[in-house]
Amino acid sequence: MKSILVIGIGRFGQHLCENLAKHDNQIMAVDISEEKLEPILPYVVSAKIGDCTNVEVLKSFGIRNFDVCFVCISGNFQNSLEITSLLKELGAAYVVSKAER
């Protein structure tokens, strides 16, 4: 069982949460939109609403406690890159970022 952080709950993020939950992982999901979090509530241990481009929001999650962090923000490359960089700066062990291209 791994502790996993999923940032960005679009189609890919939702699918990722559902499949990771099947393997008994503990998942925290984060998105800026409350509506996107509602469908995945049965699959995650914790769901948070927040803007992860804000370093204080990321610090509040205790990034070092996660085995893997997924950044699933495909619509805004700048935000995806910024969040990935912040995660590494905060000591994330392993970061996987999704990109459109």
Side-chain angles (χ1 to χ4, degrees):
M1 178 186 320
K2 293 193 178 202
S3 178
I4 299 172
L5 174 64
V6 179
I7 299 173
I9 309 300
R11 280 189 330 214
F12 180 76
Q14 182 176 349
H15 183 72
L16 184 64
C17 288
E18 290 171 4
N19 283 300
L20 289 170
K22 290 177 186 175
H23 299 286
D24 296 324
N25 292 298
Q26 293 183 343
I27 305 163
M28 175 190 277
V30 183
D31 199 281
I32 201 162
S33 168
E34 181 179 0
E35 294 80 32
K36 290 184 178 180
L37 291 170
E38 288 178 19
I40 61 153
L41 291 177
Y43 305 104
V44 299
V45 172
S46 177
K48 306 282 184 182
I49 302 166
D51 180 5
C52 291
T53 58
N54 182 340
V55 69
E56 296 304 319
V57 171
L58 289 176
K59 283 181 181 178
S60 72
F61 300 149
I63 298 301
R64 291 180 187 262
N65 296 327
F66 294 100
D67 298 310
V68 182
C69 299
F70 287 94
V71 181
C72 306
I73 301 172
S74 60
N76 188 328
F77 179 74
Q78 178 66 30
N79 284 353
S80 180
L81 183 62
E82 186 175 337
I83 292 167
T84 302
S85 177
L86 288 172
L87 288 170
K88 290 307 286 180
E89 286 176 18
L90 293 172
Y94 193 77
V95 180
V96 178
S97 294
K98 177 187 177 294
E100 283 186 0
R101 348 184 189 128

